[in-house]
Amino acid sequence: MFKNVTIYRIAPGWSATLEAMEAALDAARFVPCGASQDKSVGWVEPRGEAHGPLVESVAGQRILKFQMETKGVPGSVVRKKAQEEADHIEATTGRKPGKKETKALREDALLALLPQAFAREMNVWVWIDLQNGWLVTDASSQGKLDELVTALVRAFDGLAITLLQTAVTPQTAMTQWLSATTPDEWPGGFAVERECELKSGDEEKSAVKFTRHNLATEEVRKHITEGKLPTRLAMSWEGRIGFTLTESLAVKKINFLEGVFDGRADEGENGFDADVALSTGELQKLIPELIEALGGEMAFGAAAADGEATPAPAPREPVTADADDEGPPF
């Protein structure tokens, strides 16, 4: 279910009943793109059952599912159709369309072509852990994060979230772990695995990637002393979860290791419940230990001091429904 994880901290004081959440999401239920519409977003049933609940509660955890549908037409096709219309206007009137008219022709061409475009669907899982004050999503790109956060703060009155921040930046910690000469210097429960990416901060932006490679070597440490810093590092935790940590504190390529899902139900509703309970249960143990390995969590909305954590990519300030009227954020 969760192959990637981005963690938000929910501002203290926010809570909502299942009934209130259901009503809020129902007002923004997903509707497919219309003939001339290039994008549609909304909420769908997590279990995939038509007309089912939009909020599921499993083992005390709230699970939501956000859906995005986009239709795209290649720019070259739009320009070609617009040019054909411009040529027709010039041939019949002797007048060559100006800049404003050419722009309007391209907009008309896009609207005419959209009904023929294939729709692409993307789903994003949302896990709300009210006990720990986390909002967790598997969105893997900033565009998806922006869309999702916008939808969340519009749906839920009073919701304010900010990306979770730690006292030590992931990049600083990953640098320390890769510079270690023995595994004893790694944080308890965690192991550095066999993949990483290092990049320099100079104008050349030189980069080196290691894949299926022993990282506890002088070669890796030499790259670090030369100024290359880790942007991604493959790790494992307690032999139960493999993942890649990024410099922005995103946890990617999550892999629940052998034995974690033993005994789960394979089909029907019980399969969904088991997946949710097991995956969130494991992540509830991993996340606090990862935060501790990164020096602990900074207070909600706190600014980083020099030498400490810098905010992960947007949104840097707590996101609220009012603030979002000016621009997007999930």
Side-chain angles (χ1 to χ4, degrees), residues 29-268:
R29 189 179 287 269
F30 174 77
V31 176
C33 288
S36 60
Q37 192 177 2
D38 64 352
K39 181 175 74 172
S40 180
V41 301
W43 301 96
V44 296
E45 299 84 352
R47 292 182 188 272
E49 299 173 351
H51 312 297
L54 295 174
V55 184
E56 292 286 349
S57 179
V58 179
Q61 308 305 312
R62 311 279 176 88
I63 302 296
L64 323 176
K65 193 175 184 180
F66 185 67
Q67 185 160 308
M68 294 175 277
E69 184 178 87
T70 58
K71 292 197 297 185
V73 180
S76 59
V77 176
V78 174
R79 289 191 294 273
K80 180 180 178 182
K81 184 171 180 62
Q83 187 59 51
E84 290 173 353
E85 185 59 29
D87 292 343
H88 176 72
I89 291 172
E90 186 174 3
T92 55
T93 67
R95 176 182 58 81
K96 189 173 183 178
K99 288 185 178 180
K100 287 186 178 180
E101 190 173 2
T102 298
K103 181 181 178 182
L105 289 174
R106 288 182 180 175
E107 292 173 350
D108 291 343
L110 176 60
L111 288 174
L113 291 166
L114 274 174
Q116 306 168 40
F118 288 104
R120 181 188 177 197
E121 288 186 357
M122 294 164 283
N123 294 313
V124 177
W125 290 99
V126 180
W127 161 33
I128 296 177
D129 182 341
L130 291 175
Q131 180 178 354
N132 286 304
W134 299 331
L135 187 148
V136 180
T137 173
D138 72 334
S140 57
S141 70
Q142 191 59 47
K144 290 180 182 178
L145 288 169
D146 287 348
E147 290 284 0
L148 178 59
V149 172
T150 299
L152 283 165
V153 297
R154 284 179 176 166
F156 300 133
D157 290 340
L159 175 66
I161 58 175
T162 189
L163 282 169
L164 188 142
Q165 297 180 42
T166 53
V168 177
T169 65
Q171 189 167 72
T172 297
M174 290 189 291
T175 301
Q176 294 170 350
W177 301 336
L178 286 172
S179 300
T181 55
T182 70
D184 293 338
E185 298 176 58
W186 298 339
F190 291 93
V192 171
E193 296 298 336
R194 296 168 58 83
E195 292 187 15
C196 77
E197 179 181 70
L198 304 169
K199 287 185 179 180
S200 67
D202 56 23
E203 293 182 358
E204 291 186 0
K205 304 293 182 186
S206 56
V208 59
K209 294 182 180 180
F210 292 91
T211 303
R212 295 184 295 277
H213 194 287
N214 178 17
L215 301 181
T217 65
E218 191 58 39
E219 179 187 4
V220 173
R221 292 191 285 271
K222 185 173 184 293
H223 280 295
I224 291 174
T225 58
E226 290 174 350
K228 296 186 185 72
L229 296 176
T231 57
R232 294 171 178 262
L233 176 62
M235 304 184 70
S236 62
W237 170 75
E238 297 287 3
R240 300 183 66 80
I241 303 177
F243 62 94
T244 297
L245 180 64
T246 76
E247 60 184 329
S248 63
L249 194 49
V251 180
K252 301 197 171 202
K253 297 183 180 180
I254 293 173
N255 179 29
F256 294 97
L257 303 179
E258 186 176 354
V260 173
F261 278 10
D262 282 357
R264 67 172 290 280
D266 291 325
E267 297 179 355

